[in-house]
C-alpha cells in the first residue's frame, strides 16, 4: 500500500514538472487532488485496512497532499513569470511584474473632523460660516469685546504681539464683531479658527489651539434659545446623552455669562490631569451678548438681542476621541493622527 503512494508521488511530480502552461497544471491538480482525483481515490482503500496500516497510510497520504499542493502552486508562479516575460519579449514595454508605487493616503486631523461635524449641525440650523484673520487688530480682539485697555481680563489672554501693533488673536470672538459690522442683524453665524496664547504647555494647555465661535442675533432672542442650541449641539456631537452643568461665568462681552461644563469623558468624572482633577471640562462658555458689543457691531440694542458662545474645538476633539494630552494634536506625529482615518 505504502508503495502505491510513493509511486503516485514520483509520477505526479514528473507530470507537473513537464507541464507547459497553467491550464495543464490546473488539469493535473484536479486529476491528482480533486474530489475524484487519484490520491482521493486511494484514500478510499483506508476502510479495508487494519488500524496500524491505516494510520501509516493516512499520514503518508496527507503528507503527499501537502507536498503536491506546494509543488503545484510553485509551478503556477513559475509559469506566470514566464507569461510576463513572453509578453515583454513580444514588444510590449509595459512591465506588469513591477511592484506599484505604494503611496499613503492622508487622513483628516481630529480637530478638522469635529469642526466639519459642527459646521454640518449649524448650517442645518441656518447658520452661516464666517472667518476672520489670525493676525488680528487689538480693537477687534479686545476693545470691541468690551475689554478696554487696562481691563484685568486682558491679563488672562496674554498673546504674541506683532511689530505692526496687531496680535495673534487669543480667541475667535473678534469674528463676532466683524460679522455684525459686515452683515448686520438678524445674524446667525459660526466662526471656527485657530487661536493663540502665551501659555506654558501641559496636558490641557497649548499656545496654539482651535475654537469655534457662535452668535445669533434677532428680535426676542433669550437664554432659553441659547440653552436649547447648546444642548442640541452637544447631543448631536456625542450622539448620546452627555452630562453637563451650567454655572455663572464672567466674560466682559456677555451679560449674563455662563460656563457650560462637560463631565470629563477621559476619566468619566473621577478626576484626571485633563480635567485638572475636577471631573469637569470647561467646554462651552456662553452668554447673552453685552449691549456694548452689539453697539460696536453697529446693532440697534433697542430692537435686537443675541447670544454667543465660544466652543473649545480642540478640547471637544480630545473628549470625543479620548485624547488625554493636547500636545499630541500639534505634534505632527502621524502615528497619532492616522488613527482617525476619516478622509
Ligand atoms: N472668547 C472666550 C475665550 O476664549 C470664550 C467665550 C466666552 C466666547 C463667552 C463667547 C462667549 O462667545 O459668549 O475664553
Amino acid at each position: 500500500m505504502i508503495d502505491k503512494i510513493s509511486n503516485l508521488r514520483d509520477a505526479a511530480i514528473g507530470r507537473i514538472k513537464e507541464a507547459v502552461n497553467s491550464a495543464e497544471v490546473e488539469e493535473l491538480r484536479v486529476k491528482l487532488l480533486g474530489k475524484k482525483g487519484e490520491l482521493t481515490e486511494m484514500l478510499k482503500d483506508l476502510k479495508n485496512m487494519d488500524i496500524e496500516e491505516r494510520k501509516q497510510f493516512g499520514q503518508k497520504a496527507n503528507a503527499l497532499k501537502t507536498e503536491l499542493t506546494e509543488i503545484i502552486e510553485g509551478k503556477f508562479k513559475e509559469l506566470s513569470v514566464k507569461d510576463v516575460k513572453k509578453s515583454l519579449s513580444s514588444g510590449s514595454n509595459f512591465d506588469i511584474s513591477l511592484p506599484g508605487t505604494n503611496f499613503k493616503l492622508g487622513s483628516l486631523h481630529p480637530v478638522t473632523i469635529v469642526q466639519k461635524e459642527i459646521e454640518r449641525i449649524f448650517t442645518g440650523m441656518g447658520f452661516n460660516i464666517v472667518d476672520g484673520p489670525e493676525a488680528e487688530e487689538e480693537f477687534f480682539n479686545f476693545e470691541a469685546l468690551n475689554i478696554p485697555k487696562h481691563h484685568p481680563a486682558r491679563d488672562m489672554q496674554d498673546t504674541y504681539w506683532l511689530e505692526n501693533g496687531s496680535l495673534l488673536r487669543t480667541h475667535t470672538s473678534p469674528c463676532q464683531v466683524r460679522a455684525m459690522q459686515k452683515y448686520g442683524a438678524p445674524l446667525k453665524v459660526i466662526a471656527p479658527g485657530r487661536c493663540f496664547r502665551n501659555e506654558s504647555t501641559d496636558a490641557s494647555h497649548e499656545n496654539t489651539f482651535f475654537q469655534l465661535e457662535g452668535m445669533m442675533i434677532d428680535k426676542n432672542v433669550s437664554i432659553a434659545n441659547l440653552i436649547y442650541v447648546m444642548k442640541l449641539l452637544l447631543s448631536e456631537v456625542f450622539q448620546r446623552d452627555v452630562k453637563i452643568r451650567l454655572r455663572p461665568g464672567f466674560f466682559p462681552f456677555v451679560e449674563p455669562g455662563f460656563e457650560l461644563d462637560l463631565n470629563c469623558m477621559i476619566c468619566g468624572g473621577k478626576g484626571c490631569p485633563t480635567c485638572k482633577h475636577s471631573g469637569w471640562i470647561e467646554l462651552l462658555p456662553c452668554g447673552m451678548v453685552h449691549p456694548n458689543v452689539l453697539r460696536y457691531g453697529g446693532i440697534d440694542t433697542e430692537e435686537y438681542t443675541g447670544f454667543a458662545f465660544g466652543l473649545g474645538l480642540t478640547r471637544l476633539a480630545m473628549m470625543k476621541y479620548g485624547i488625554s494630552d493636547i500636545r499630541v494634536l500639534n505634534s505632527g506625529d502621524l502615528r497619532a493622527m492616522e488613527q482617525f482615518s476619516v478622509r
Side-chain angles (χ1 to χ4, degrees), residues 160-178:
Y160 305 95
W161 293 81
L162 307 179
E163 278 174 2
N164 66 4
S166 56
L167 48 82
L168 296 187
R169 67 177 174 195
T170 56
H171 47 182
T172 42
S173 302
C175 299
Q176 290 185 17
V177 187
R178 289 183 175 274

Side-chain angles (χ1 to χ4, degrees), residues 86-239:
K86 218 199 277 163
S87 88
L88 288 178
S89 61
S90 70
S92 157
N93 59 2
F94 179 63
D95 184 353
I96 59 167
S97 70
L98 282 177
T101 318
N102 193 5
F103 56 89
K104 267 187 162 177
L105 280 183
S107 55
L108 291 180
H109 191 281
V111 171
T112 310
I113 298 172
V114 175
Q115 178 185 327
K116 286 186 158 205
E117 172 73 14
I118 295 174
E119 287 178 356
R120 185 188 62 74
I121 296 165
F122 276 98
T123 49
M125 292 192 278
F127 282 64
N128 285 312
I129 302 166
V130 296
D131 206 356
E134 289 175 3
E136 183 56 281
E137 290 169 37
E138 188 182 347
F139 171 79
F140 287 107
N141 198 83
F142 291 126
E143 254 99 14
L145 292 168
N146 204 27
I147 316 175
K149 260 228 149 57
H150 301 290
H151 197 288
R154 284 204 183 192
D155 294 346
M156 285 154 52
Q157 300 194 357
D158 187 16
T159 184
Y160 305 95
W161 293 81
L162 307 179
E163 278 174 2
N164 66 4
S166 56
L167 48 82
L168 296 187
R169 67 177 174 195
T170 56
H171 47 182
T172 42
S173 302
C175 299
Q176 290 185 17
V177 187
R178 289 183 175 274
M180 285 188 283
Q181 289 187 354
K182 192 162 174 190
Y183 302 108
L187 184 70
K188 283 200 279 185
V189 287
I190 53 166
R194 189 183 274 123
C195 306
F196 309 85
R197 292 204 194 161
N198 184 8
E199 297 268 15
S200 320
T201 52
D202 62 26
S204 56
H205 293 90
E206 250 291 11
N207 51 31
T208 306
F209 54 95
F210 284 79
Q211 289 188 342
L212 185 138
E213 197 76 14
M215 177 174 234
M216 176 173 174
I217 298 175
D218 210 332
K219 291 176 183 160
N220 301 319
V221 170
S222 72
I223 296 176
N225 300 118
L226 166 66
I227 293 174
Y228 175 80
V229 173
M230 297 300 95
K231 274 193 172 161
L232 190 96
L233 164 65
L234 291 175
S235 62
E236 285 267 330
V237 168
F238 289 101
Q239 293 289 309

Side-chain angles (χ1 to χ4, degrees), residues 1-20:
M1 273 328 254
I2 303 289
D3 279 356
K4 256 180 143 181
I5 289 204
S6 57
N7 289 344
L8 175 66
R9 179 180 179 274
D10 295 343
I13 293 177
R15 278 147 78 193
I16 298 167
K17 275 201 180 131
E18 280 160 24
V20 293

